[in-house]
Amino acid sequence: MKLASLDSVTNAHDDSIWSAAWVRSTEEYPALLLTGGLDETVKLWDPSNFTCVQTFTGHCLGVVSVATHPTRRIAASASIDSFIRVFEVDTNNTIATLEAPPSEVWQLQFSPNGSNLAAAGGGSSSVKLWDTTQWELVTTMSIPRQGAPQPSDKSSNKKFVLSVAWSPDGRLLACGSVDGTISVFDVARAKFLHFLDGHTMPVRSLVFSPSLHDSRILFSASDDGHVHMYDAEGKTLLTSLSGHASWVLSVDISPDGAAIATGSSDKTVRLWDLKMRAATQTLTNHTDQVWAVAFGPTSRTDVRSCMLASVSDDKSLSFYQYS
């Protein structure tokens, strides 16, 4: 397996780019890429020619997360302005505006079946779920204090929640916190299950294995410089990967489940072979920290091949071919 650099877009945004998410392809439409930047915009990119096809406005402060719905039709963006904007990808028409208190919306992710939108709740020490038909807040799943059996509002032990991920079957939801813990929830019962320990610093990115056979396998990226692989249901740390020289800010897994990519404040993107449990490639396209890496959908002509995108504080967007 390898990554081949395809192109880099300098000044893709007017400020740091913190997030990226692919819009899936259909028989009628090719895959596209969404990016969100601190310049308050969301941009839509055509990876076939590496050009921006649309710039979406609507936030009055920087965009910290973008997420795309499995149907391809809609997407959501979260901003430091405390709003989540849900919009149509093709027209930019606003479908819903979801409000949260300041610093209570960070990462977003739609559930695999598209019925819910999850938001890492920042200072609220919770994960919020909105339904995607009426866009109403349906549940807030709070993280308990460690050592306490039930969620608590005592501020002394609050966990600032930075990241969120769904298991591919939609049963589990994981969220990563500033204190290095990962919380796992049973979605159907809206019930906290347990903590996953092992990190010592903020967990900024999480992703589950895409395979339903391995739907319990969770990968986490942390400021402690490590990437962990857990059995999220069995509470087991399976392996710890290290190699970045600084904070690991983002992690994503290839569609074939054979590799993960990571982005770091050491300005590099790394590709890791999961069978070898080792980094096989380091790419240095960026000149500042890499906030997000995102694998695209598989190629129509080769199911083992897809694109990877990375975005950075250097305002650039890089595309790679994974094969």
Side-chain angles (χ1 to χ4, degrees):
M1 63 184 64
K2 65 178 180 180
L3 286 174
S5 292
L6 296 174
D7 200 8
S8 290
V9 182
T10 57
N11 296 312
H13 282 254
D14 293 334
D15 205 335
S16 300
I17 312 172
W18 276 15
S19 60
W22 288 86
V23 181
R24 62 179 292 182
S25 58
T26 64
E27 289 188 2
E28 299 173 61
Y29 298 101
L32 300 169
L33 182 76
L34 277 178
T35 57
L38 295 191
D39 60 0
E40 304 169 12
T41 69
V42 173
K43 294 194 175 189
L44 186 65
W45 301 86
D46 182 347
S48 67
N49 53 20
F50 315 113
T51 57
C52 178
V53 293
Q54 209 163 349
T55 299
F56 303 137
T57 57
H59 288 292
C60 60
L61 287 172
V63 176
V64 295
S65 181
V66 289
T68 56
H69 192 271
T71 61
R72 187 195 187 281
R73 189 178 66 85
I74 61 175
S77 55
S79 166
I80 305 166
D81 64 14
S82 302
F83 289 98
I84 298 171
R85 182 172 176 265
V86 184
F87 58 94
E88 291 182 345
V89 170
D90 293 331
T91 65
N92 192 33
N93 288 339
T94 300
I95 296 170
T97 302
L98 313 175
E99 188 173 2
S103 83
E104 288 197 9
V105 172
W106 289 86
Q107 223 171 63
L108 302 174
Q109 196 175 39
F110 285 97
S111 59
N113 66 4
S115 62
N116 288 289
L117 174 66
S124 69
S125 299
S126 67
V127 177
K128 295 176 169 64
L129 293 187
W130 282 269
D131 82 81
T132 57
T133 50
Q134 302 299 319
W135 298 105
E136 294 175 345
L137 183 65
V138 289
T139 189
T140 298
M141 296 188 289
S142 296
I143 301 170
R145 289 181 298 125
Q146 275 182 291
Q150 294 298 324
S152 168
D153 288 328
K154 290 184 180 176
S155 60
S156 61
N157 287 284
K158 287 265 186 172
K159 292 177 181 291
F160 196 98
V161 185
L162 292 170
S163 51
V164 67
W166 294 86
S167 64
D169 54 14
R171 289 188 310 113
L172 302 177
L173 196 66
C175 63
S177 300
V178 163
D179 67 355
T181 57
I182 299 165
S183 305
V184 181
F185 294 90
D186 177 320
V187 177
R189 295 185 292 161
K191 184 180 188 308
F192 171 82
L193 295 178
H194 48 252
F195 291 110
L196 301 175
D197 297 316
H199 287 299
T200 58
M201 293 176 71
V203 177
R204 297 185 188 270
S205 183
L206 296 167
V207 65
F208 277 89
S209 168
S211 166
L212 289 173
H213 302 296
D214 296 324
S215 62
R216 300 156 56 118
I217 304 301
L218 175 71
F219 297 88
S220 58
S222 171
D223 287 8
D224 63 17
H226 296 281
V227 177
H228 284 176
M229 182 171 123
Y230 293 94
D231 176 343
E233 220 161 353
K235 296 175 61 175
T236 309
L237 175 59
L238 300 175
T239 193
S240 178
L241 305 172
S242 60
H244 279 293
S246 189
W247 301 355
V248 190
L249 303 173
S250 54
V251 60
D252 198 17
I253 188 165
S254 60
D256 62 9
I260 57 171
T262 52
S264 168
S265 56
D266 68 7
K267 309 175 188 176
T268 69
V269 171
R270 287 189 178 226
L271 183 71
W272 307 76
D273 183 316
L274 293 178
K275 275 189 180 173
M276 293 171 55
R277 299 193 176 183
T280 57
Q281 207 171 348
T282 302
L283 295 110
T284 56
N285 294 33
H286 293 290
T287 59
D288 208 335
Q289 53 193 14
V290 181
W291 275 108
V293 289
F295 279 103
T298 54
S299 163
R300 292 179 184 178
T301 54
D302 182 0
V303 294
R304 294 168 300 176
S305 176
C306 69
M307 283 178 120
L308 176 78
S310 63
V311 297
S312 166
D313 263 347
D314 66 10
K315 310 177 192 175
S316 76
L317 161 63
S318 288
F319 291 97
Y320 317 83
Q321 190 69 41
Y322 167 77
S323 59

